[in-house]
Each structure stands twice: as structure tokens, then as C-alpha cells.
Amino acid sequence: MKNNDVQQAAEIIKRGGLVAFPTETVYGLGADAFQPIAVARVFEVKRRPFFDPLIVHVADSEDLEKLVIEIPPHARKLMEQFWPGPLTVVLLKKEEVPDIVTAGLPTVAVRMPRHPIAIKLIELAGSPIVGPSANPFGYLSPTTAEHVQEQLGRQVDLILDGGPCEVGVESTIISFSEKEPRLLRPGGIPLEEIESIIGRVKMGGRIEEKPSAPGMFPRHYAPRTPVLLDWSEKEIDGYRGKKIGFLLFKEQNSFLTSYPAEVLSKKGDLREAAANLFSAIRRLDSLDLDFILAESIPETGLGLAIMDRLRRASSQATGSKQ
Ligand code: TXA
Ligand code: MG
């Protein structure tokens, strides 16, 4: 069922049900963070391994207090600057936070989304809400209510439709579980903006922590069709007899336009490209192609998050250091 009734959605959450909801980044699969059985259903529906912890969404500082023990000064600065918005911070959790939410880790990932429907839902439900992206584990995140409907449809009690997501890539995750802040996932807030406020941030997960942030698994955010990066126009002849399509960053006036192609942003604007990314890959993925050839994008601003997702989609990622 798909509608706009936030009140009804909040009732479903209170009763331990599942609601897919829009955020400014991607659609989330929501359940009350303090109802472990409801949270277990989220894992089940996503077919997500239980060792992969969830992000908890809050609407205000009262919600936050239910979740975390303390907020280091650098984390506080980032929250003041970027909340509500596409920033997730990993902080030491309170004992009351169910272990199923955090996969037994001593930390919890928290974010305050900017989408008015998401905020309203959390407020009316009266409790923080877990919200992994509303897609089967390993596949691309949904950026419209239709994407959720296609993939999780009947298994979700309600899908709130807020239209296409404005940002289009998931939140930036910064961990404060060690002394120094660490980037666990590039996302909707550019790293440059974060570093301009708190200085240098370490990159990537610690090796021993590796499976704790499977958004960092090499192959993730992946369509069914193999995605290739690092190709050159000269090699295209070699794909004769194969069905190929292109995921292009900017408008091209070359022969590439005689193939199925998606252009992420005619002008080469990174924000527009991020907002279009997952829908464009989904459209190419529905064409039954043998390969999607993706153009590389400059890794500044949102380009870092876009290239991270493309590398994972192409499984050319080296794994831990993004
Ligand atoms: O933009 C977003 O963040 C979206 C929207 C719906 O809010 N949510 C999202 O959630 O992307 P999900 O579950 O698809 O990705 C959460 C990532 C996973 O890679 C998970 O491993 C990591 O956050 N994570 C969650 N809790 C963590 C923790 N305590 N320590 C380290 N990583 C954590
Ligand atoms: Mg996800």
C-alpha cells in the first residue's frame, strides 16, 4: 500500500509494523528502534545479515538522548552544522538500545533527516526509527516510492510517497568511536565541508572492524547487470555482439549516443548527477544489457560518494579504504 498518511504510518510503527519512508537521501525501511521484533523484521525483509548494524533516525535532541551516552565536541559541531541533513554520526550507545539495532557493537549510528515526512513520522511515532535503505541487501538504494514498491512491495505495511529524493545518495557516515573521527562512507555531505569544520578526517574502516559497515563491502549498491569502469572509447569495438549501454556523467556528442545511454547531468553538475544516479542505473539495469559502461566522475564534492557507489556497483572496489 502506498499513500501519504503519516498519521496512519505512525500507528503502524507503534504497533511494531514496517513503513517505508522518504528521506532527502534515499527511502528508508522504518521500524521502532526500541521494538526488537519489529527491527528483526527489517533484517528479514531486506535479507540483510544480522551483523550489519542499522542507522537510527531522530527528530530532535530528546530522541538523541535515548540513544547515546555522550557527544564529543567535534561530533556536536558537525550535528549543529549539518542536521537535519545527510550526515550520520557513530557514537557510543546507551545500554537500552537493543543489540539487534547495532549488531552488538558498543556504538550506534544516528542521523536526523531533513525530509518533512520523515521528521513528522518520527515525531508521531514517539520513538527513534531504524532506517536502512529500503532495498534488498546488496542492491541499489531506492530514490522513489515506486522503486520500493517494485522490490519490497507486499512485505512492507505501508510506503509513504514523498516523490523523488532530493540528494539521491546515502548519508555521509562519520565514526567517533575512536579518538579521531573517521569517514566510514562518503555520502550526501561532501568530505571537504566536513573537514572545513573539524579538520582532517581519517579515511575508511579499521581492518579489524571490517564487516561492521557492510556499506563498505566491495560489491554493494549493485545492479544485476555488470558495471564496468575504467574503459576507453577504443575498447568499445571489442564489445561487438554484446548489448551494452552507457552511464554518462555529462552530455556527449559522440557516437556513444547511438547506444542506450543515461546522462546524469547535462551540465556536469555533481548534485544533479547524484540525484539521478540510482534511477539511471535502474533504468539501464531493466534493459537486459550484457554490460553497463560507466563514465568516471571527478572525485570532489559529491563526486566522491558517486564514484564510491560506482566502484561498488562494478565490484572493482578494493574493499576497505573508501
Ligand atoms: O542516507 C542514509 O543513511 C539512508 C537513509 C534511509 O537514511 N540509510 C542508509 O542505511 O543508508 P543503510 O542501513 O543502508 O546503511 C547504513 C550503513 C551500513 O553500511 C552500516 O554497516 C553502517 O551504516 N553502520 C550502521 N551502524 C553502524 C555502527 N554502529 N558502526 C559502524 N557502521 C555502522
Ligand atoms: Mg543500504
Side-chain angles (χ1 to χ4, degrees):
M1 194 174 29
K2 197 170 80 160
N3 70 27
N4 270 321
D5 191 342
V6 187
Q7 184 71 54
Q8 184 194 2
E11 293 304 322
I12 292 173
I13 297 274
K14 283 185 183 173
R15 289 201 309 265
L18 303 193
V19 172
F21 63 100
T23 80
E24 73 281 15
T25 58
V26 300
Y27 276 70
L29 182 58
D32 182 343
F34 285 93
Q35 295 191 44
I37 295 171
V39 177
R41 249 192 90 202
V42 170
F43 281 92
E44 230 168 71
V45 166
K46 274 187 65 83
R47 295 192 295 278
R48 177 174 176 128
F50 283 106
F51 58 75
D52 187 1
L54 306 178
I55 295 178
V56 183
H57 295 68
V58 299
D60 51 37
S61 51
E62 233 176 275
D63 287 339
L64 187 63
E65 271 171 34
K66 297 177 190 161
L67 300 170
V68 305
I69 297 179
E70 53 166 16
I71 305 171
H74 278 168
R76 190 175 291 282
K77 274 192 184 166
L78 291 183
M79 288 149 70
E80 279 166 7
Q81 182 74 23
F82 299 114
W83 277 10
L87 170 77
T88 296
V89 288
V90 173
L91 301 171
L92 283 179
K93 82 170 185 92
K94 281 205 166 138
E95 211 175 303
E96 293 79 10
V97 180
D99 279 335
I100 188 168
V101 171
T102 62
L105 292 174
T107 54
V108 60
V110 192
R111 123 170 166 85
M112 187 185 290
R114 184 166 74 206
H115 199 296
I117 295 181
I119 292 288
K120 188 96 184 282
L121 177 66
I122 303 163
E123 279 172 1
L124 292 176
S127 180
I129 289 180
V130 295
S133 49
N135 53 279
F137 184 70
Y139 196 70
L140 302 166
S141 298
T143 53
T144 65
E146 287 74 26
H147 293 163
V148 182
Q149 180 89 50
E150 281 160 23
Q151 293 195 299
L152 301 180
R154 273 164 296 169
Q155 302 173 79
V156 182
D157 299 307
L158 184 78
I159 301 171
L160 284 172
D161 189 349
C165 300
E166 177 198 335
V167 177
V169 289
E170 301 83 352
S171 59
T172 302
I173 306 180
I174 306 282
S175 173
F176 290 91
S177 68
E178 307 160 73
K179 238 165 128 199
E180 315 225 5
R182 185 180 284 277
L183 176 75
L184 294 187
R185 176 176 75 182
I189 303 282
L191 184 60
E192 294 89 332
E193 288 187 30
I194 286 170
E195 291 192 327
S196 77
I197 291 170
I198 60 168
R200 288 294 288 191
V201 169
K202 288 188 181 170
M203 302 284 279
R206 284 185 299 164
I207 303 300
E208 65 270 28
E209 246 182 18
K210 215 170 172 186
S212 75
M216 304 198 301
F217 281 154
R219 188 164 169 83
H220 208 79
Y221 309 109
R224 287 181 301 273
T225 317
V227 175
L228 304 176
L229 270 167
D230 306 325
W231 46 274
S232 71
E233 290 199 1
K234 278 186 255 146
E235 296 163 26
I236 290 169
D237 268 355
Y239 291 100
R240 209 168 297 212
K242 297 277 181 213
K243 282 161 67 183
I244 58 173
F246 289 88
L247 182 70
L248 302 172
F249 175 38
K250 290 187 262 196
E251 185 85 287
Q252 307 247 355
N253 21 8
S254 71
F255 67 98
L256 296 184
T257 42
S258 59
Y259 293 90
E262 290 282 342
V263 176
L264 293 176
S265 167
K266 283 190 177 174
K267 298 170 297 201
D269 175 68
L270 288 168
R271 278 176 196 268
E272 190 182 14
N276 288 328
L277 181 68
F278 290 143
S279 286
I281 300 176
R282 275 171 193 264
R283 282 192 294 271
L284 288 169
D285 201 22
S286 70
L287 298 180
D288 211 20
L289 302 168
D290 294 311
F291 296 102
I292 298 169
L293 276 64
E295 183 183 10
S296 290
I297 286 175
E299 291 191 65
T300 56
L302 288 179
L304 186 65
I306 298 174
M307 280 304 288
D308 172 74
R309 306 305 186 268
L310 288 178
R311 288 210 182 87
R312 291 178 203 293
S314 76
S315 75
Q316 288 173 8
T318 47
S320 60
K321 294 287 169 238
Q322 310 300 321

